Amino acid sequence: MAQRMTAQAILEKLVAFPTVSSGSNLHLIDYVEDYLNSHGVSVTIDLNEDGTKAGIFASIGPDVPGGVILSGHTDVVPVEGQNWSTDPWKADLRDGRIYGRGTCDMKGFAAIILACVPEMIAAGLQRPIQIALTRDEEIGCLGAPPLINKIRQSYAPASSVIVGEPTMMKVVTGHKGSTGVTVHVRGFEVHSSMLHKGVSAIMIASRLVDWANAMNSENSAKPPGDLAAGFDPPWTSLHVGMISGGTAHNITAGDCSFGLEIRCIPGESIESWKQRFLEYVRATERDMHEVNSSTAIHATPWFDVPPLKPENDPVAESLARRLTGDNGNHRVSYATEAGQFQEAGYSVVVCGPGHIDQAHQGDEFISVQQIEAGTEFVRRLINELSN
């Protein structure tokens, strides 16, 4: 039997599913499917290749052009090593805040959408609201493209997409693109006292990381152009968040691995930045071969996420501004699935509850006020599409 639930109650359910990207999200997807089915809403499941993860999408209202897609991701980042004062997999309401992994990024938005489903059904929508919940956003926005393709094949084209990443319900019209490269350095092991006869994979990797540092220094020194000026920072940034390698302190490391992330301002080419790095990799590898020809650097593209660019015919922006009353100029440095929707031909904005400063943190939270603001936003959208 269909049950009406508040956004907070649904958020409790969603947080309890530990949908870290390294594991499965199928328990959450099953819950969402059962919930939507209980309200008479049919769904389509988009499984990944090995069937361990999935995205889900559904449509409410008539299958006619001009609807709106509300999009969010179901996966979250890990909690290990973080300082949590509560169980991260149990929503904890304290002092007007709901704590728990994913409350802000971005199960809060998903909970709001699902809580409003009965209102969508009862409203007599003239144009549809399409719901899209993806997988694997946190590891390179890998799940959105196949889901977008299926939505385009299944439904009449929507006029707008609203990606509900945390923006404090401000209308964001631009974000950086990003790309990732995984790097494995294979060195040559010798006793560290004979360093000149070996090739330390760790020390070679440090050269590549230092190249990223040098690029950050170079980029930050340039005066920002018009497209970059609204970002913080207003330049392309390069980052290495994890590195591993080595056998013992007195052996030149035989292996070292790390991942390089590049967040590129609109107007600069992601592909060009990737090629610059790979050229430096090849030059470094030639130096390694002068010591030992068995050494190598394997640099493998990991992900590519296009930027979200301001639009010439900003249908989604105009809609979101009417619904929020926000007329500010907002851009963000984090990447989202919005650029992928835009690349597929949709008009897109990013607008959702919560503050990005809380995302990925220990004691992540979203305020009750932001849940209420997001709910009011969706209700205004329902009214807009009912007339």
Side-chain angles (χ1 to χ4, degrees):
M1 179 179 293
Q3 181 181 7
R4 295 192 68 139
M5 299 174 66
T6 66
Q8 290 185 46
I10 294 176
L11 183 54
E12 284 188 30
K13 298 283 189 181
L14 299 182
V15 169
F17 298 109
T19 53
V20 177
S21 305
S22 58
S24 176
N25 70 339
L26 292 183
H27 292 306
L28 182 149
I29 295 298
D30 289 344
Y31 170 79
V32 173
E33 180 179 16
D34 289 345
Y35 174 85
L36 290 172
N37 287 169
S38 75
H39 288 283
V41 179
S42 61
V43 305
T44 300
I45 306 296
D46 177 49
L47 286 166
N48 68 346
E49 291 183 359
D50 63 8
T52 58
K53 302 180 188 180
I56 186 170
F57 64 95
S59 184
I60 300 171
D63 187 24
V64 298
V68 175
I69 298 174
L70 298 177
S71 178
H73 62 81
T74 62
D75 59 322
V76 297
V77 296
V79 300
E80 285 76 17
Q82 293 187 324
N83 185 23
W84 285 82
S85 61
T86 61
D87 182 346
W89 308 115
K90 183 177 181 180
D92 181 23
L93 175 60
R94 286 182 285 131
D95 302 321
R97 297 172 173 178
I98 305 169
Y99 292 86
R101 174 54 85 221
T103 51
C104 176
D105 184 20
M106 57 183 301
K107 292 180 177 180
F109 184 66
I112 289 167
I113 297 171
L114 295 174
C116 289
V117 163
E119 297 175 46
M120 297 175 192
I121 295 170
L125 295 170
Q126 300 300 301
R127 289 176 287 158
I129 294 177
Q130 298 170 6
I131 299 168
L133 301 177
T134 65
R135 59 172 172 85
D136 287 336
E137 190 272 351
E138 296 289 7
I139 54 173
C141 297
L142 304 179
L147 195 72
I148 292 169
N149 288 337
K150 287 192 174 180
I151 290 172
R152 295 176 71 188
Q153 295 166 10
S154 301
Y155 302 136
S159 63
S160 302
V161 178
I162 298 169
V163 177
E165 291 278 2
T167 69
M168 294 295 285
M169 300 310 302
K170 301 297 184 183
V171 180
V172 169
T173 58
H175 69 60
K176 293 182 178 182
S178 65
T179 188
V181 181
T182 60
V183 181
H184 173 230
V185 182
R186 187 178 73 239
F188 183 70
E189 292 183 330
V190 298
H191 193 283
S192 59
S193 64
M194 302 298 291
L195 177 66
H196 62 294
K197 294 183 178 180
V199 177
S200 168
I202 289 177
M203 297 181 74
I204 291 295
S206 72
R207 286 176 55 178
L208 303 179
V209 174
D210 196 50
W211 179 86
N213 286 328
M215 292 302 101
N216 284 332
S217 297
E218 180 181 305
N219 292 345
S220 63
K222 298 175 184 176
D226 291 341
L227 281 176
F231 291 95
D232 181 19
W235 38 271
T236 294
S237 61
L238 296 84
H239 175 251
V240 174
M242 297 180 68
I243 190 167
S244 62
T247 302
H249 74 275
N250 58 354
I251 302 174
T252 58
D255 290 278
C256 185
S257 298
F258 67 90
L260 174 70
E261 167 195 86
I262 304 173
R263 295 184 179 270
C264 187
I265 56 173
E268 293 188 3
S269 164
I270 291 176
E271 189 60 32
S272 176
W273 270 104
K274 191 159 47 178
Q275 289 305 314
R276 287 182 68 180
F277 175 65
L278 294 178
E279 287 172 8
Y280 188 76
V281 165
R282 287 189 286 268
T284 303
E285 191 177 51
R286 288 193 293 269
D287 292 343
M288 296 164 62
H289 287 167
E290 291 183 4
V291 179
N292 189 286
S293 62
S294 70
T295 59
I297 304 175
H298 300 287
T300 306
W302 174 16
F303 65 85
D304 288 299
V305 181
L308 174 65
K309 303 175 183 177
E311 299 172 353
N312 293 327
D313 183 19
V315 177
E317 178 184 347
S318 298
L319 170 65
R321 293 197 187 283
R322 286 198 304 276
L323 298 178
T324 62
D326 174 35
N327 291 313
N329 183 17
H330 308 290
R331 300 174 185 175
V332 294
S333 292
Y334 55 87
T336 80
E337 295 165 332
Q340 294 170 317
F341 277 101
Q342 190 179 65
E343 198 172 59
Y346 291 100
S347 178
V348 193
V349 293
V350 182
C351 183
H355 198 294
I356 193 62
D357 285 354
Q358 303 309 320
H360 301 188
Q361 302 297 309
D363 277 355
E364 178 183 348
F365 71 83
I366 191 170
S367 70
V368 172
Q369 186 276 333
Q370 280 292 292
I371 291 289
E372 292 170 348
T375 301
E376 181 60 27
F377 175 85
V378 175
R379 286 174 173 162
R380 290 174 182 169
L381 175 64
I382 294 169
N383 184 63
E384 171 102 7
L385 298 183
S386 300
N387 296 316

